[in-house]
PDB file of all heavy atoms in Angstrom:
ATOM      1  N   ASP A   1      -4.733  31.573  30.231  1.00  0.00           N
ATOM      2  CA  ASP A   1      -5.621  32.665  29.834  1.00  0.00           C
ATOM      3  C   ASP A   1      -6.459  33.068  31.039  1.00  0.00           C
ATOM      4  O   ASP A   1      -6.314  32.493  32.133  1.00  0.00           O
ATOM      5  CB  ASP A   1      -6.503  32.282  28.640  1.00  0.00           C
ATOM      6  CG  ASP A   1      -7.391  31.071  28.905  1.00  0.00           C
ATOM      7  OD1 ASP A   1      -7.498  30.625  30.069  1.00  0.00           O
ATOM      8  OD2 ASP A   1      -7.987  30.557  27.932  1.00  0.00           O
ATOM      9  N   ALA A   2      -7.337  34.049  30.833  1.00  0.00           N
ATOM     10  CA  ALA A   2      -8.094  34.573  31.967  1.00  0.00           C
ATOM     11  C   ALA A   2      -9.032  33.529  32.565  1.00  0.00           C
ATOM     12  O   ALA A   2      -9.149  33.425  33.789  1.00  0.00           O
ATOM     13  CB  ALA A   2      -8.886  35.807  31.536  1.00  0.00           C
ATOM     14  N   VAL A   3      -9.690  32.729  31.723  1.00  0.00           N
ATOM     15  CA  VAL A   3     -10.657  31.776  32.267  1.00  0.00           C
ATOM     16  C   VAL A   3      -9.952  30.633  32.994  1.00  0.00           C
ATOM     17  O   VAL A   3     -10.428  30.166  34.041  1.00  0.00           O
ATOM     18  CB  VAL A   3     -11.624  31.259  31.178  1.00  0.00           C
ATOM     19  CG1 VAL A   3     -10.933  30.368  30.167  1.00  0.00           C
ATOM     20  CG2 VAL A   3     -12.815  30.541  31.818  1.00  0.00           C
ATOM     21  N   SER A   4      -8.808  30.179  32.488  1.00  0.00           N
ATOM     22  CA  SER A   4      -8.081  29.148  33.226  1.00  0.00           C
ATOM     23  C   SER A   4      -7.545  29.715  34.541  1.00  0.00           C
ATOM     24  O   SER A   4      -7.513  29.019  35.566  1.00  0.00           O
ATOM     25  CB  SER A   4      -6.944  28.551  32.380  1.00  0.00           C
ATOM     26  OG  SER A   4      -5.984  29.521  32.034  1.00  0.00           O
ATOM     27  N   ALA A   5      -7.146  30.990  34.543  1.00  0.00           N
ATOM     28  CA  ALA A   5      -6.677  31.626  35.778  1.00  0.00           C
ATOM     29  C   ALA A   5      -7.795  31.703  36.806  1.00  0.00           C
ATOM     30  O   ALA A   5      -7.603  31.360  37.984  1.00  0.00           O
ATOM     31  CB  ALA A   5      -6.135  33.021  35.471  1.00  0.00           C
ATOM     32  N   ARG A   6      -8.972  32.155  36.380  1.00  0.00           N
ATOM     33  CA  ARG A   6     -10.091  32.249  37.326  1.00  0.00           C
ATOM     34  C   ARG A   6     -10.500  30.873  37.832  1.00  0.00           C
ATOM     35  O   ARG A   6     -10.854  30.707  39.004  1.00  0.00           O
ATOM     36  CB  ARG A   6     -11.281  32.950  36.666  1.00  0.00           C
ATOM     37  CG  ARG A   6     -11.090  34.441  36.462  1.00  0.00           C
ATOM     38  CD  ARG A   6     -12.404  35.118  36.132  1.00  0.00           C
ATOM     39  NE  ARG A   6     -12.947  34.678  34.853  1.00  0.00           N
ATOM     40  CZ  ARG A   6     -12.721  35.269  33.687  1.00  0.00           C
ATOM     41  NH1 ARG A   6     -11.961  36.354  33.645  1.00  0.00           N
ATOM     42  NH2 ARG A   6     -13.252  34.816  32.580  1.00  0.00           N
ATOM     43  N   THR A   7     -10.451  29.870  36.952  1.00  0.00           N
ATOM     44  CA  THR A   7     -10.855  28.515  37.336  1.00  0.00           C
ATOM     45  C   THR A   7      -9.926  27.948  38.404  1.00  0.00           C
ATOM     46  O   THR A   7     -10.378  27.379  39.404  1.00  0.00           O
ATOM     47  CB  THR A   7     -10.856  27.600  36.101  1.00  0.00           C
ATOM     48  OG1 THR A   7     -11.799  28.118  35.145  1.00  0.00           O
ATOM     49  CG2 THR A   7     -11.243  26.182  36.459  1.00  0.00           C
ATOM     50  N   VAL A   8      -8.627  28.111  38.210  1.00  0.00           N
ATOM     51  CA  VAL A   8      -7.667  27.594  39.184  1.00  0.00           C
ATOM     52  C   VAL A   8      -7.702  28.420  40.466  1.00  0.00           C
ATOM     53  O   VAL A   8      -7.664  27.872  41.579  1.00  0.00           O
ATOM     54  CB  VAL A   8      -6.253  27.562  38.580  1.00  0.00           C
ATOM     55  CG1 VAL A   8      -5.211  27.218  39.639  1.00  0.00           C
ATOM     56  CG2 VAL A   8      -6.193  26.561  37.432  1.00  0.00           C
ATOM     57  N   ALA A   9      -7.796  29.730  40.334  1.00  0.00           N
ATOM     58  CA  ALA A   9      -7.804  30.600  41.514  1.00  0.00           C
ATOM     59  C   ALA A   9      -8.992  30.321  42.424  1.00  0.00           C
ATOM     60  O   ALA A   9      -8.913  30.548  43.638  1.00  0.00           O
ATOM     61  CB  ALA A   9      -7.808  32.064  41.081  1.00  0.00           C
ATOM     62  N   ALA A  10     -10.078  29.819  41.850  1.00  0.00           N
ATOM     63  CA  ALA A  10     -11.291  29.557  42.640  1.00  0.00           C
ATOM     64  C   ALA A  10     -11.174  28.311  43.508  1.00  0.00           C
ATOM     65  O   ALA A  10     -12.022  28.088  44.377  1.00  0.00           O
ATOM     66  CB  ALA A  10     -12.491  29.422  41.707  1.00  0.00           C
ATOM     67  N   VAL A  11     -10.154  27.505  43.282  1.00  0.00           N
ATOM     68  CA  VAL A  11      -9.993  26.272  44.042  1.00  0.00           C
ATOM     69  C   VAL A  11      -9.435  26.591  45.430  1.00  0.00           C
ATOM     70  O   VAL A  11      -8.413  27.277  45.557  1.00  0.00           O
ATOM     71  CB  VAL A  11      -9.058  25.289  43.305  1.00  0.00           C
ATOM     72  CG1 VAL A  11      -8.765  24.065  44.169  1.00  0.00           C
ATOM     73  CG2 VAL A  11      -9.675  24.870  41.983  1.00  0.00           C
ATOM     74  N   GLU A  12     -10.109  26.096  46.466  1.00  0.00           N
ATOM     75  CA  GLU A  12      -9.659  26.334  47.825  1.00  0.00           C
ATOM     76  C   GLU A  12      -8.238  25.812  48.005  1.00  0.00           C
ATOM     77  O   GLU A  12      -7.907  24.704  47.580  1.00  0.00           O
ATOM     78  CB  GLU A  12     -10.589  25.631  48.811  1.00  0.00           C
ATOM     79  CG  GLU A  12     -10.247  25.890  50.271  1.00  0.00           C
ATOM     80  CD  GLU A  12     -11.220  25.237  51.226  1.00  0.00           C
ATOM     81  OE1 GLU A  12     -12.224  24.647  50.748  1.00  0.00           O
ATOM     82  OE2 GLU A  12     -10.986  25.313  52.447  1.00  0.00           O
ATOM     83  N   GLY A  13      -7.394  26.620  48.601  1.00  0.00           N
ATOM     84  CA  GLY A  13      -5.996  26.251  48.820  1.00  0.00           C
ATOM     85  C   GLY A  13      -5.036  26.849  47.824  1.00  0.00           C
ATOM     86  O   GLY A  13      -3.820  26.837  48.058  1.00  0.00           O
ATOM     87  N   THR A  14      -5.550  27.381  46.708  1.00  0.00           N
ATOM     88  CA  THR A  14      -4.676  28.011  45.718  1.00  0.00           C
ATOM     89  C   THR A  14      -4.194  29.349  46.259  1.00  0.00           C
ATOM     90  O   THR A  14      -4.998  30.212  46.610  1.00  0.00           O
ATOM     91  CB  THR A  14      -5.409  28.210  44.389  1.00  0.00           C
ATOM     92  OG1 THR A  14      -5.852  26.951  43.895  1.00  0.00           O
ATOM     93  CG2 THR A  14      -4.491  28.858  43.356  1.00  0.00           C
ATOM     94  N   ARG A  15      -2.890  29.518  46.314  1.00  0.00           N
ATOM     95  CA  ARG A  15      -2.316  30.725  46.928  1.00  0.00           C
ATOM     96  C   ARG A  15      -1.584  31.621  45.935  1.00  0.00           C
ATOM     97  O   ARG A  15      -1.273  32.776  46.218  1.00  0.00           O
ATOM     98  CB  ARG A  15      -1.356  30.309  48.049  1.00  0.00           C
ATOM     99  CG  ARG A  15      -2.059  29.624  49.220  1.00  0.00           C
ATOM    100  CD  ARG A  15      -1.072  28.926  50.135  1.00  0.00           C
ATOM    101  NE  ARG A  15      -0.493  27.754  49.479  1.00  0.00           N
ATOM    102  CZ  ARG A  15       0.667  27.201  49.824  1.00  0.00           C
ATOM    103  NH1 ARG A  15       1.385  27.732  50.793  1.00  0.00           N
ATOM    104  NH2 ARG A  15       1.107  26.126  49.189  1.00  0.00           N
ATOM    105  N   ALA A  16      -1.283  31.090  44.765  1.00  0.00           N
ATOM    106  CA  ALA A  16      -0.584  31.852  43.730  1.00  0.00           C
ATOM    107  C   ALA A  16      -0.817  31.158  42.401  1.00  0.00           C
ATOM    108  O   ALA A  16      -1.190  29.985  42.351  1.00  0.00           O
ATOM    109  CB  ALA A  16       0.908  31.950  44.034  1.00  0.00           C
ATOM    110  N   LEU A  17      -0.594  31.900  41.328  1.00  0.00           N
ATOM    111  CA  LEU A  17      -0.720  31.352  39.987  1.00  0.00           C
ATOM    112  C   LEU A  17       0.599  31.506  39.240  1.00  0.00           C
ATOM    113  O   LEU A  17       1.393  32.402  39.531  1.00  0.00           O
ATOM    114  CB  LEU A  17      -1.817  32.074  39.198  1.00  0.00           C
ATOM    115  CG  LEU A  17      -3.249  31.966  39.716  1.00  0.00           C
ATOM    116  CD1 LEU A  17      -4.181  32.750  38.803  1.00  0.00           C
ATOM    117  CD2 LEU A  17      -3.693  30.524  39.823  1.00  0.00           C
ATOM    118  N   ALA A  18       0.792  30.617  38.276  1.00  0.00           N
ATOM    119  CA  ALA A  18       1.943  30.718  37.378  1.00  0.00           C
ATOM    120  C   ALA A  18       1.464  30.466  35.964  1.00  0.00           C
ATOM    121  O   ALA A  18       0.620  29.592  35.731  1.00  0.00           O
ATOM    122  CB  ALA A  18       3.020  29.715  37.761  1.00  0.00           C
ATOM    123  N   THR A  19       1.981  31.234  35.023  1.00  0.00           N
ATOM    124  CA  THR A  19       1.628  31.012  33.627  1.00  0.00           C
ATOM    125  C   THR A  19       2.563  29.968  33.025  1.00  0.00           C
ATOM    126  O   THR A  19       3.622  29.669  33.569  1.00  0.00           O
ATOM    127  CB  THR A  19       1.729  32.309  32.811  1.00  0.00           C
ATOM    128  OG1 THR A  19       3.107  32.663  32.632  1.00  0.00           O
ATOM    129  CG2 THR A  19       0.987  33.451  33.494  1.00  0.00           C
ATOM    130  N   ALA A  20       2.154  29.419  31.893  1.00  0.00           N
ATOM    131  CA  ALA A  20       2.981  28.480  31.133  1.00  0.00           C
ATOM    132  C   ALA A  20       3.186  29.074  29.746  1.00  0.00           C
ATOM    133  O   ALA A  20       2.226  29.229  28.989  1.00  0.00           O
ATOM    134  CB  ALA A  20       2.307  27.116  31.040  1.00  0.00           C
ATOM    135  N   SER A  21       4.421  29.418  29.420  1.00  0.00           N
ATOM    136  CA  SER A  21       4.684  30.075  28.136  1.00  0.00           C
ATOM    137  C   SER A  21       4.320  29.179  26.959  1.00  0.00           C
ATOM    138  O   SER A  21       3.780  29.647  25.948  1.00  0.00           O
ATOM    139  CB  SER A  21       6.155  30.482  28.053  1.00  0.00           C
ATOM    140  OG  SER A  21       7.002  29.343  28.113  1.00  0.00           O
ATOM    141  N   HIS A  22       4.626  27.887  27.083  1.00  0.00           N
ATOM    142  CA  HIS A  22       4.296  26.932  26.022  1.00  0.00           C
ATOM    143  C   HIS A  22       2.795  26.953  25.761  1.00  0.00           C
ATOM    144  O   HIS A  22       2.345  26.989  24.601  1.00  0.00           O
ATOM    145  CB  HIS A  22       4.767  25.535  26.451  1.00  0.00           C
ATOM    146  CG  HIS A  22       4.647  24.485  25.385  1.00  0.00           C
ATOM    147  ND1 HIS A  22       5.483  23.401  25.327  1.00  0.00           N
ATOM    148  CD2 HIS A  22       3.780  24.335  24.348  1.00  0.00           C
ATOM    149  CE1 HIS A  22       5.147  22.633  24.292  1.00  0.00           C
ATOM    150  NE2 HIS A  22       4.103  23.179  23.692  1.00  0.00           N
ATOM    151  N   SER A  23       2.008  26.945  26.832  1.00  0.00           N
ATOM    152  CA  SER A  23       0.552  26.910  26.704  1.00  0.00           C
ATOM    153  C   SER A  23       0.010  28.193  26.098  1.00  0.00           C
ATOM    154  O   SER A  23      -0.905  28.161  25.260  1.00  0.00           O
ATOM    155  CB  SER A  23      -0.082  26.659  28.074  1.00  0.00           C
ATOM    156  OG  SER A  23       0.373  25.437  28.623  1.00  0.00           O
ATOM    157  N   ILE A  24       0.544  29.333  26.525  1.00  0.00           N
ATOM    158  CA  ILE A  24       0.094  30.606  25.951  1.00  0.00           C
ATOM    159  C   ILE A  24       0.436  30.661  24.467  1.00  0.00           C
ATOM    160  O   ILE A  24      -0.406  31.019  23.629  1.00  0.00           O
ATOM    161  CB  ILE A  24       0.718  31.788  26.713  1.00  0.00           C
ATOM    162  CG1 ILE A  24       0.128  31.876  28.125  1.00  0.00           C
ATOM    163  CG2 ILE A  24       0.483  33.101  25.951  1.00  0.00           C
ATOM    164  CD1 ILE A  24       0.757  32.942  28.995  1.00  0.00           C
ATOM    165  N   ALA A  25       1.665  30.294  24.118  1.00  0.00           N
ATOM    166  CA  ALA A  25       2.053  30.308  22.705  1.00  0.00           C
ATOM    167  C   ALA A  25       1.148  29.398  21.887  1.00  0.00           C
ATOM    168  O   ALA A  25       0.664  29.783  20.811  1.00  0.00           O
ATOM    169  CB  ALA A  25       3.513  29.879  22.574  1.00  0.00           C
ATOM    170  N   ALA A  26       0.895  28.195  22.387  1.00  0.00           N
ATOM    171  CA  ALA A  26       0.054  27.248  21.650  1.00  0.00           C
ATOM    172  C   ALA A  26      -1.356  27.775  21.454  1.00  0.00           C
ATOM    173  O   ALA A  26      -1.973  27.560  20.402  1.00  0.00           O
ATOM    174  CB  ALA A  26       0.022  25.912  22.389  1.00  0.00           C
ATOM    175  N   SER A  27      -1.873  28.481  22.451  1.00  0.00           N
ATOM    176  CA  SER A  27      -3.243  28.988  22.341  1.00  0.00           C
ATOM    177  C   SER A  27      -3.373  30.051  21.260  1.00  0.00           C
ATOM    178  O   SER A  27      -4.475  30.306  20.759  1.00  0.00           O
ATOM    179  CB  SER A  27      -3.717  29.536  23.690  1.00  0.00           C
ATOM    180  OG  SER A  27      -3.036  30.732  24.035  1.00  0.00           O
ATOM    181  N   PHE A  28      -2.234  30.662  20.873  1.00  0.00           N
ATOM    182  CA  PHE A  28      -2.240  31.644  19.783  1.00  0.00           C
ATOM    183  C   PHE A  28      -1.677  31.058  18.480  1.00  0.00           C
ATOM    184  O   PHE A  28      -1.492  31.782  17.498  1.00  0.00           O
ATOM    185  CB  PHE A  28      -1.433  32.878  20.175  1.00  0.00           C
ATOM    186  CG  PHE A  28      -2.150  33.790  21.132  1.00  0.00           C
ATOM    187  CD1 PHE A  28      -1.865  33.754  22.482  1.00  0.00           C
ATOM    188  CD2 PHE A  28      -3.123  34.662  20.689  1.00  0.00           C
ATOM    189  CE1 PHE A  28      -2.517  34.582  23.376  1.00  0.00           C
ATOM    190  CE2 PHE A  28      -3.795  35.506  21.563  1.00  0.00           C
ATOM    191  CZ  PHE A  28      -3.494  35.459  22.923  1.00  0.00           C
ATOM    192  N   GLY A  29      -1.381  29.759  18.468  1.00  0.00           N
ATOM    193  CA  GLY A  29      -0.915  29.110  17.251  1.00  0.00           C
ATOM    194  C   GLY A  29       0.571  29.179  17.017  1.00  0.00           C
ATOM    195  O   GLY A  29       1.038  28.893  15.901  1.00  0.00           O
ATOM    196  N   TYR A  30       1.348  29.518  18.055  1.00  0.00           N
ATOM    197  CA  TYR A  30       2.804  29.601  17.911  1.00  0.00           C
ATOM    198  C   TYR A  30       3.473  28.368  18.514  1.00  0.00           C
ATOM    199  O   TYR A  30       3.000  27.821  19.510  1.00  0.00           O
ATOM    200  CB  TYR A  30       3.350  30.839  18.625  1.00  0.00           C
ATOM    201  CG  TYR A  30       2.963  32.150  17.982  1.00  0.00           C
ATOM    202  CD1 TYR A  30       1.854  32.859  18.419  1.00  0.00           C
ATOM    203  CD2 TYR A  30       3.713  32.679  16.931  1.00  0.00           C
ATOM    204  CE1 TYR A  30       1.487  34.073  17.842  1.00  0.00           C
ATOM    205  CE2 TYR A  30       3.357  33.894  16.330  1.00  0.00           C
ATOM    206  CZ  TYR A  30       2.243  34.579  16.801  1.00  0.00           C
ATOM    207  OH  TYR A  30       1.883  35.766  16.214  1.00  0.00           O
TER     208      TYR A  30
END
């Protein structure tokens, strides 16, 4: 989600992000 993206992106050395479909589905109850 947006807050997990911002949290990880703020870490020094992070150069790219990847989503996790399982995690997104679970966060919506699927």
Side-chain angles (χ1 to χ4, degrees):
D1 59 11
V3 69
S4 62
R6 288 194 295 268
T7 299
V8 172
V11 174
E12 183 177 355
T14 301
R15 294 166 290 158
L17 297 180
T19 72
S21 62
H22 187 151
S23 301
I24 291 175
S27 70
F28 284 100
Y30 291 95

